Amino acid sequence: MKYNRKLVLVCTGKDCKSEGAKRLQKELSHDPALKGKCKWIKTKCLDHCKSAPVVVVGDFFCKKATVQKVSELIKKS
Ligand code: FES
């Protein structure tokens, strides 16, 4: 059975949280273009705190993540 939604890991460790990871996830999850396409998974620290906020989309590691960067990654992958 194939899982149709993309798995998106959002780090909610201390540094990512302080750099707006939760707000980022909230904005992305309300994007109509992405609605129903992703499964959002909150993670603990991914050990790239200096690049916070960090989001992983499939095989891609998005450092200093922004809504635009993550949205494009999701659409491309
Ligand atoms: S807190 Fe997110 S990578 Fe460490």
Side-chain angles (χ1 to χ4, degrees):
M1 178 194 270
K2 187 176 178 190
Y3 190 69
N4 292 329
R5 295 165 92 186
K6 292 179 178 120
L7 299 179
V8 182
L9 309 181
V10 180
C11 177
T12 54
K14 183 182 165 194
D15 290 330
C16 287
K17 201 185 282 185
S18 71
E19 291 297 324
K22 285 189 173 181
R23 180 174 31 80
L24 179 71
Q25 184 203 341
K26 191 173 181 180
E27 284 182 37
L28 286 162
S29 64
H30 287 97
D31 182 339
L34 303 178
K35 195 165 182 107
K37 293 183 178 177
C38 304
K39 173 70 177 170
W40 304 97
I41 300 169
K42 294 177 186 172
T43 71
K44 293 186 177 177
C45 178
L46 296 171
D47 295 329
H48 288 272
C49 308
K50 288 183 180 172
S51 301
V54 174
V55 176
V56 179
V57 181
D59 295 339
F60 298 98
F61 215 89
C62 185
K63 297 176 177 180
K64 302 259 184 213
T66 62
V67 169
Q68 187 174 10
K69 280 171 144 182
V70 176
S71 180
E72 285 175 15
L73 259 181
I74 292 169
K75 290 172 186 168
K76 284 182 188 172
S77 62

